[in-house]
Amino acid sequence: FMRIIIMSILMLLPSIAPSQVVSSEKADLGNLLKRMYAAQSLSGVKIVETYDSQYLVAVISLDTHKYTTMDVAQRVARIKAESQINTFLNGSYSKTELLVTVKETQSRDSVQTVVESIERIREDSAGFVRGMELLVSFPDESNTKNVVFVYGKIVEADNSHK
């Protein structure tokens, strides 16, 4: 009976170990990018090299007051990041429009003004980008923007079999 338990554990170890390596690699990359951002504000698309890997990273800053929840902000960040990476890789064209509406309500004693802004993102491209994932998200020093890093690992083709 003890042999069966030990054999079962040994069979499960190889399937558990790679996920721990990926999680550790992801955490290390997230910490590296946080330190880089603290040293100097980053934006756009960057290629980040570590000792053994290269990553394509998109840095997005979002105003915290525009997005009601972190989930919505992260979805918007992902769309913007994919757009930036697509432009970086394929030369696509992205267009962002900001529509601002102002409504005034008058009463006898006062005037109340309501300002609403809507951001529309349109992308015309010759390709698409998938396989990117959220790496890390944190507020900037002033707490007015949320900084989001989206990344994908660059995998080089193995030409040794030619």
Side-chain angles (χ1 to χ4, degrees):
F1 181 72
M2 190 61 123
R3 258 187 173 166
I4 294 173
I5 292 174
I6 292 173
M7 291 300 285
S8 298
I9 291 172
L10 290 175
M11 289 173 52
L12 287 174
L13 279 179
S15 65
I16 295 170
S19 65
Q20 290 174 343
V21 170
V22 171
S23 295
S24 173
E25 181 179 336
K26 187 175 176 180
D28 291 346
L29 180 61
N31 290 333
L32 171 68
L33 291 170
K34 280 183 179 180
R35 287 192 308 271
M36 288 173 64
Y37 188 86
Q40 180 181 1
S41 182
L42 305 171
S43 64
V45 177
K46 309 282 183 223
I47 295 176
V48 177
E49 292 186 46
T50 61
Y51 292 112
D52 56 353
S53 300
Q54 289 184 328
Y55 301 92
L56 191 59
V57 177
V59 185
I60 307 294
S61 294
L62 301 172
D63 291 331
T64 54
H65 70 276
K66 278 188 179 180
Y67 304 98
T68 54
T69 66
M70 189 60 136
D71 185 48
V72 171
Q74 288 178 351
R75 278 192 237 156
V76 170
R78 185 181 182 98
I79 291 168
K80 286 185 174 190
E82 286 179 357
S83 175
Q84 286 183 357
I85 290 168
N86 194 20
T87 301
F88 181 80
L89 295 174
N90 302 317
S92 67
Y93 172 76
S94 298
K95 181 179 177 183
T96 302
E97 293 178 3
L98 181 62
L99 302 173
V100 179
T101 58
V102 180
K103 296 178 185 176
E104 288 187 0
T105 307
Q106 280 187 331
S107 65
R108 291 184 184 191
D109 301 338
S110 66
V111 175
Q112 186 178 23
T113 304
V114 177
V115 178
E116 180 181 292
S117 62
I118 299 172
E119 186 174 13
R120 291 186 186 167
I121 304 168
R122 179 183 169 151
E123 179 179 5
D124 298 319
S125 65
F128 63 93
V129 177
R130 293 290 180 249
M132 304 301 289
E133 67 178 274
L134 177 70
L135 177 64
V136 66
S137 174
F138 57 92
D140 69 352
E141 286 182 6
S142 64
N143 257 354
T144 59
K145 292 187 184 245
N146 199 19
V147 180
V148 181
F149 287 94
V150 175
Y151 86 111
K153 187 171 187 176
I154 298 174
V155 179
E156 293 186 21
D158 182 11
N159 295 327
S160 62
H161 300 291
K162 287 187 176 182

